[in-house]
Amino acid sequence: CDEAQPVCQRCAKSRRICDGRQAFIVHTENPYASGQKKRPRGPRSTRKSEPATTLHALLPRQPLDLQAEAVVYYVRFYLHSPKDALPLLSAHCAPSDLQPGRTLQIECQLVNLAISSIALALFSRTQQCPQAGVQAAAQYQKLLQLLQLTLISLNQNNIESCLLAISHMGLYENAIYRPQKQGNASLSMALPSMPHDEGALVLLKFWKEHLSLRQPATNVVKTIRREAIKHALLGKVALPEWMKDGAAFGEDGLALEYDTILIRIASVRQRLSALFQYKSSRQPDAKELAGLAEPLNQEAQDIDQALQDWRMNFPNAWSYTRHRLPTHRLWPKTSFFSPEVSVYRRLEDAAVWARYFSSRMLVLSTRLSILQNIEVNPDSLQHEQSSGCRFKLQATAASLASTVPFCLERFKFANGPDLADQDITLNKSEITTNPYAAGLVTNPLVTASSIVSHLPKEQKSWFQSQLAQLGRVSGFGIFEIATTERWSDL
């Protein structure tokens, strides 16, 4: 592979499928190169064509194998990640994340079934290909049966493959989610990926208790744990003690600092939820309630400061500049919350800031819940604290809203970002069609649109509409209900 973009030139010349990565792909030769057909006699055609700029222009549907095309599409557009990106940005486990040297046939089957099932499901939704959806369901059933057999003999050689398989099963359930078929059940209690999330947690505990001393944490293990932390934040549940030490799972640097902060946020949210339940059932007096709430209020303040300290350690290269869309042009409010946008050097830099903004929003929102629902200290300036907290929350939400358009590639500078705001041009499409770019901002939008409270209706609705759009672009049906009442149930 010569690693050329957007497609390997060697493969383009030989008309092969290639995902641009050397670690994981199956090449499908054209029928002449594979020996399926004999080349016609006589001189070759001198047909000229314009340079291909899209995956579909480079990879014609026929006579290409549908599963191979779907896998290429998934690996190329969902699993792409620069080598120097922060680990906390990883959204999915990839085959390349497995430890090298995994050659057992059953592991290869698990990985192939896991990748092909989610690849076909997403390809079916994003490319409007029902046949791919049928194949995805068949692959998923095979994966489920094989995984059940494999888990009987779980060990250090197959646990990574099992974790990757379970992770992709959860993604598959989120991709095929159909709101109209789910009835009126509480969404927080009926998330389609929940059974697989719980299963992954069991396997993660097995790794921690039985394998961690002789098997360092891999990218698969780290990604599954990050997903578990995210689910704890959504569900207001406490993390088990064995999961709390990020260093024991191989986290370090800025990723470890952020990991520690998220665990502290999850703890405060779980304790606050328990306090509200205690208040409702026992009806304690104001003094007792204030004594229980004050430590949570102080902890939320400390976490907010820790987040700001974490941000101060960002490299200078991650800094951003603010610009305003030209006032003489109409800018679609469905794509821009306001005419102010933030511009970054790379998508990955913007994604880290989006994590910061959404996490700080969650901390400020949690603290507001404490201040507004419990009289922490009658002698304190509680109203002033609430007002200051609300102002910071709305300002941070505005910063996230100004970052989203850059992440979704909704504008560009005609001659580079160092020029005047008048050089900004809006992309013709209101939303990016790049699933990788969409994936970078999905988690911050999930946080802002669901579990962050106390936002003005206009801001909340805009974040929800952005996530619903991403659901349609990326193929994950679960996000398409972000604008409905069921989403607020999270």
Side-chain angles (χ1 to χ4, degrees):
C1 177
D2 61 12
E3 299 183 356
Q5 296 294 328
V7 73
C8 169
Q9 295 304 300
R10 296 189 180 191
C11 292
K13 290 179 182 178
S14 58
R15 299 188 64 78
R16 296 187 301 191
I17 305 173
C18 179
D19 79 330
R21 296 162 59 135
Q22 302 179 39
F24 176 84
I25 196 59
V26 176
H27 287 93
T28 301
E29 303 281 1
N30 65 60
Y32 302 124
S34 64
Q36 297 176 7
K37 293 183 180 181
K38 293 184 178 180
R39 293 188 182 275
R41 296 181 179 274
R44 296 188 179 183
S45 170
T46 57
R47 178 185 59 185
K48 295 182 179 180
S49 60
E50 295 182 1
T53 57
T54 66
L55 178 67
H56 294 291
L58 290 167
L59 306 177
R61 175 66 57 86
Q62 297 296 336
L64 209 58
D65 176 74
L66 180 58
Q67 179 175 318
E69 184 174 357
V71 169
V72 168
Y73 178 81
Y74 176 70
V75 173
R76 191 72 180 273
F77 290 102
Y78 288 79
L79 300 185
H80 164 75
S81 181
K83 294 180 180 179
D84 58 343
L86 263 188
L88 61 91
L89 297 179
S90 61
H92 309 313
C93 299
S96 59
D97 290 330
L98 294 170
Q99 282 187 323
R102 299 289 190 235
T103 58
L104 294 179
Q105 183 177 4
I106 193 169
E107 291 184 355
C108 295
Q109 289 176 325
L110 274 176
V111 172
N112 288 338
L113 288 172
I115 297 298
S116 61
S117 60
I118 183 60
L120 285 162
L122 293 173
F123 193 83
S124 173
R125 288 183 64 93
T126 59
Q127 308 303 312
Q128 291 77 50
C129 181
Q131 183 183 356
V134 174
Q135 290 192 27
Q139 294 290 83
Y140 181 81
Q141 290 302 318
K142 292 179 182 178
L143 171 62
L144 181 60
Q145 296 171 5
L146 183 60
L147 181 62
Q148 290 174 340
L149 293 174
T150 308
L151 290 176
I152 297 174
S153 56
L154 189 65
N155 56 59
Q156 64 178 358
N157 293 320
N158 60 25
I159 189 169
E160 277 192 282
S161 298
C162 290
L163 282 169
L164 185 144
I166 291 178
S167 172
H168 280 76
M169 290 169 73
L171 293 176
Y172 174 87
E173 295 289 355
N174 286 339
I176 66 170
Y177 185 85
R178 298 293 188 277
Q180 63 273 20
K181 296 183 180 180
Q182 304 304 319
N184 296 319
S186 170
L187 181 63
S188 61
M189 300 301 294
L191 283 172
S193 61
M194 183 175 292
H196 304 300
D197 299 334
E198 294 174 349
L201 198 60
V202 172
L203 265 63
L204 200 61
K205 184 177 182 181
F206 178 88
W207 175 87
K208 183 64 172 64
E209 294 180 347
H210 301 284
L211 304 176
S212 59
L213 292 179
R214 59 180 183 275
Q215 181 178 349
T218 62
N219 289 336
V220 172
V221 170
K222 294 176 185 178
T223 303
I224 295 297
R225 177 175 171 274
R226 293 187 198 112
E227 284 298 300
I229 294 174
K230 183 185 73 174
H231 297 146
L233 287 168
L234 288 173
K236 298 180 182 179
V237 297
L239 284 166
E241 286 297 325
W242 58 268
M243 270 190 62
K244 292 183 177 180
D245 184 6
F249 286 85
E251 302 288 4
D252 58 11
L254 286 174
L256 177 59
E257 292 178 35
Y258 184 67
D259 179 275
T260 303
I261 291 171
L262 287 186
I263 290 175
R264 292 176 66 185
I265 298 174
S267 175
V268 168
R269 283 174 54 79
Q270 185 274 328
R271 289 155 55 197
L272 181 59
S273 177
L275 181 57
F276 284 157
Q277 294 177 9
Y278 178 77
K279 176 185 176 183
S280 176
S281 61
R282 300 294 182 88
Q283 297 182 347
D285 58 46
K287 184 177 180 180
E288 179 186 359
L289 200 58
L292 295 172
E294 177 55 33
L296 294 180
N297 179 44
Q298 186 60 52
E299 175 68 3
Q301 284 184 277
D302 293 343
I303 295 173
D304 186 34
Q305 185 59 53
L307 266 171
Q308 295 177 72
D309 293 341
W310 179 67
R311 179 205 63 191
M312 295 301 294
N313 292 325
F314 288 0
N316 291 334
W318 292 3
S319 61
Y320 62 91
T321 56
R322 294 187 184 275
H323 298 262
R324 291 188 67 84
L325 300 176
T327 55
H328 64 279
R329 301 176 187 173
L330 293 177
W331 45 275
K333 292 189 177 182
T334 55
S335 300
F336 300 88
F337 180 74
S338 75
E340 185 176 80
V341 294
S342 298
V343 178
Y344 299 81
R345 183 176 61 93
R346 303 183 310 161
L347 283 172
E348 290 75 22
D349 301 339
V352 176
W353 278 94
R355 292 291 202 284
Y356 165 74
F357 293 137
S358 63
S359 299
R360 193 172 183 211
M361 287 168 61
L362 184 54
V363 173
L364 292 167
S365 171
T366 301
R367 186 168 178 233
L368 263 177
S369 294
I370 299 172
L371 293 171
Q372 292 190 351
N373 289 280
I374 300 174
E375 192 172 12
V376 176
N377 187 343
D379 298 327
S380 69
L381 299 176
Q382 188 162 333
H383 176 73
E384 182 178 338
Q385 292 184 48
S386 296
S387 298
C389 199
R390 185 180 296 276
F391 175 80
K392 293 175 184 177
L393 173 60
Q394 295 180 15
T396 307
S399 295
L400 176 60
S402 71
T403 296
V404 169
F406 179 88
C407 291
L408 300 182
E409 303 171 328
R410 288 177 175 165
F411 66 91
K412 60 182 178 180
F413 285 83
N415 298 299
D418 295 329
L419 300 180
D421 293 350
Q422 286 72 20
D423 292 312
I424 295 179
T425 59
L426 305 185
N427 287 341
K428 294 181 180 180
S429 174
E430 287 190 0
I431 189 167
T432 179
T433 55
N434 181 356
Y436 168 70
L440 287 176
V441 77
T442 295
N443 279 345
L445 284 177
V446 168
T447 300
S449 66
S450 59
I451 58 177
V452 169
S453 54
H454 309 290
L455 279 179
K457 184 177 180 180
E458 186 180 7
Q459 282 184 324
K460 188 85 165 184
S461 297
W462 190 81
F463 288 131
Q464 291 173 337
S465 68
Q466 304 312 296
L467 186 60
Q469 283 184 314
L470 292 193
R472 291 186 286 273
V473 167
S474 64
F476 288 100
I478 186 64
F479 299 134
E480 292 187 35
I481 66 169
T483 55
T484 68
E485 291 183 3
R486 297 196 68 205
W487 188 253
S488 299
D489 182 48
L490 282 175

